Amino acid sequence: EFAGSGALALQAQTPRPNVLIVMTDQQAWNALSAAGNPWVTTPAMDAIARNGLRIEQSYCTYPVCSPSRSSVFTGRMPHETGVRDNNNPIAAGIPTMGEVFRDAGYSTVYAGKWHLPKGFDGMTGFTKIAGGSALGRDMDAGVASACAKWLRTAPQQPFLMVASFMNPHDVCDWIRQHPGSRRHADAAKFPPAPANLGADPMEPEAIQHHRTQGIDLMSKAVGIAREWRADDFRHYLHDYYRMVEDVDREIGKVLGALSAAGLRDRTLIAFMSDHGEGMGGHRWVQKASFYEESVRVPLIFAGPGVTALGTDRTSLASLADVMPTLCGMAGVSTPSGITGRSLAPLLRGEPLESRPVFSELRYGGPEREGRMVRTERYKYIVFNSGARPEQLFDLTTDPGETVNLAGSEPGAIREHRELLRRWIADTRDDFAMPA
């Protein structure tokens, strides 16, 4: 057991907590057993959830690695950070989490995947203890070992540590290694194919272009999955869950070292993934989609000050909220101009005003760009070009997003268009709504 309820009471009284961010890559919001998934076993992630608050309706700001990470470490949207594709640096002059916590007296260390500047050492405000651009499980073992070693050697406190793991991102290579349908002798052990396996026939042309004509590795993967049968999707899900279990074991080593060093009672933990994985819903694999499987992410907070334990199933959260939340919980001044908001009241069991969350996406460039608005009931999607640019889903009655209501709910469409227009104005977004 990572931490008990008695420890949490003590944690709540502790000033200036240590902060540990645990981040996976490409993990769907429900790809952990704490979310009730019977096909995967994740004791380390579950231990964080068991002793903290799991926010079930959490969304990334852009369902691709670098843009999403830019939001985690700045509290701003990708159109504000300037990171609209992988490997781009955060715009000059925007304070990053490492800088903010370092300037507040924290020792700031980072291990693992960064994926913002073209070189890992271009990050600011963190001391690198392990990292690199190589893919694979071997990187995750090195990340866990480096974090555990640092925690065992009497680290300076308070500290902010980021343990950024690669997996289950290896599913990208898995998909490319399985280009065609095949026979599966052991299909009985596989999870069921997704119930929402069918693609929306009225899908925006911009999305369909990515399915059929895109040239990057993500669109190629979607094209591969287009040829799969139901059992192929089952095989893919089975192996994807094994990659989740692999990274969970490495996370467990970091949590074990934290406990062994006597630091667990003074450490606020934030667990998240940078974006999800298509999971076969809508015949989509990998990321780069506004569908729930790709854009919705796990988000859990545990430790000092987190007194609302369990699962919040209704509050909407964004990964842009992570930085202001950690600042608020640690007593660190939040930089001005932050677009995200602190979830600290929610973690203390206090009311938090309802508000929509937003996400961004480009397919290739600004000529095929989209925005997503998630409100309490609906998800609205719109692209700036192509036929059928809008989608609307009622997630209360249709959580699998199988019925596009864009042509049958004019009132809801108008409401969400207006929400997006206000957001564009408020955040100085350059997205152009279609005529």
Side-chain angles (χ1 to χ4, degrees):
E1 184 83 5
F2 171 56
S5 58
L8 288 170
L10 173 63
Q11 291 168 359
Q13 304 168 13
T14 306
R16 304 205 75 197
N18 303 314
V19 179
L20 170 63
I21 295 177
V22 178
M23 182 181 290
T24 59
D25 193 305
Q26 206 154 316
Q27 183 176 355
W29 73 272
N30 58 352
L32 65 162
S33 40
N37 190 325
W39 298 99
V40 64
T41 303
T42 52
M45 300 173 197
D46 296 353
I48 302 172
R50 189 162 48 248
N51 297 286
L53 183 68
R54 185 172 67 89
I55 305 173
E56 197 163 84
Q57 302 288 338
S58 298
Y59 291 83
C60 66
T61 60
Y62 192 123
V64 175
C65 301
S66 293
S68 177
R69 289 165 183 266
S70 78
S71 294
V72 171
F73 292 106
T74 66
R76 300 173 187 240
M77 299 297 291
H79 74 264
E80 298 174 296
T81 66
V83 184
R84 302 195 183 195
D85 202 352
N86 277 337
N87 300 312
N88 292 334
I90 294 170
I94 295 180
T96 65
M97 187 187 298
E99 294 167 337
V100 169
F101 273 77
R102 180 199 59 196
D103 292 348
Y106 273 70
S107 176
T108 55
V109 294
Y110 198 108
K113 180 175 178 178
W114 176 241
H115 213 172
L116 284 168
K118 293 186 178 180
F120 183 94
D121 293 325
M123 76 162 71
T124 54
F126 286 104
T127 298
K128 181 177 72 172
I129 58 173
S133 58
L135 302 179
R137 296 175 178 83
D138 290 345
M139 175 180 170
D140 285 350
V143 169
S145 296
C147 289
K149 179 180 178 181
W150 193 88
L151 290 167
R152 284 195 300 265
T153 55
Q156 177 183 344
Q157 295 185 64
F159 64 80
L160 164 63
M161 169 182 278
V162 180
S164 179
F165 294 95
M166 181 63 71
N167 267 307
H169 187 281
D170 278 359
V171 74
C172 298
D173 290 332
W174 189 100
I175 293 164
R176 292 190 284 272
Q177 292 161 6
H178 295 76
S181 184
R182 60 189 62 204
R183 297 178 64 87
H184 301 284
D186 51 358
K189 71 179 183 181
F190 299 155
N196 60 343
L197 190 56
D200 175 14
M202 297 302 293
E203 199 172 55
E205 185 180 7
I207 302 177
Q208 292 184 345
H209 179 276
H210 187 77
R211 287 184 184 275
T212 59
Q213 300 176 52
I215 60 173
D216 66 15
L217 291 176
M218 287 180 276
S219 59
K220 285 181 179 178
V222 177
I224 287 171
R226 193 171 66 242
E227 306 302 321
W228 285 352
R229 298 172 302 152
D231 278 357
D232 300 313
F233 283 100
R234 297 177 65 198
H235 186 187
Y236 141 81
L237 289 172
H238 173 273
D239 286 12
Y240 173 71
Y241 288 145
R242 304 294 76 76
M243 296 171 198
V244 173
E245 291 174 347
D246 286 344
V247 73
D248 184 80
R249 280 189 287 274
E250 302 304 330
I251 292 170
K253 295 175 185 176
V254 178
L255 299 183
L258 190 72
S259 294
L263 298 168
R264 70 182 190 184
D265 292 349
R266 288 173 282 167
T267 303
L268 174 66
I269 299 175
F271 170 78
M272 72 207 72
S273 189
D274 57 354
H275 52 75
E277 161 61 37
M279 306 290 284
H282 316 280
R283 286 197 165 267
W284 200 275
V285 294
Q286 290 202 260
K287 50 265 187 175
S289 162
F290 287 133
Y291 292 125
E292 288 286 274
E293 294 86 353
S294 293
V295 75
R296 192 169 161 194
V297 293
L299 182 61
I300 308 170
F301 294 92
V306 183
T307 54
L309 308 184
T311 300
D312 182 311
R313 303 187 190 280
T314 58
S315 300
L316 298 177
S318 165
L319 288 187
D321 300 335
V322 170
M323 181 166 163
T325 300
L326 295 179
C327 287
M329 297 294 285
V332 171
S333 295
T334 305
S336 60
I338 293 288
T339 304
R341 68 167 176 179
S342 175
L343 303 172
L346 191 68
L347 305 184
R348 295 191 294 263
E350 300 168 7
L352 193 62
E353 183 181 357
S354 177
R355 57 92 207 247
V357 294
F358 298 81
S359 192
E360 310 176 7
L361 181 61
R362 280 183 176 181
Y363 289 132
E367 70 279 3
R368 270 184 295 275
E369 186 164 1
R371 295 291 184 269
M372 182 202 87
V373 183
R374 171 71 162 96
T375 56
E376 214 170 303
R377 177 175 177 181
Y378 292 102
K379 178 189 286 183
Y380 172 68
I381 295 166
V382 61
F383 286 86
N384 63 356
S385 64
R388 307 172 306 277
E390 295 176 307
Q391 289 176 301
L392 180 73
F393 298 106
D394 185 338
L395 296 183
T396 302
T397 60
D398 180 27
E401 300 171 301
T402 61
V403 181
N404 182 1
L405 302 172
S408 59
E409 293 283 350
I413 286 284
R414 284 194 300 270
E415 176 190 348
H416 287 75
R417 284 175 183 162
E418 183 56 30
L419 283 172
L420 182 55
R421 288 191 185 100
R422 290 202 299 266
W423 169 262
I424 289 170
D426 290 345
T427 65
R428 299 181 180 179
D429 190 354
D430 58 5
F431 180 73
M433 298 279 288

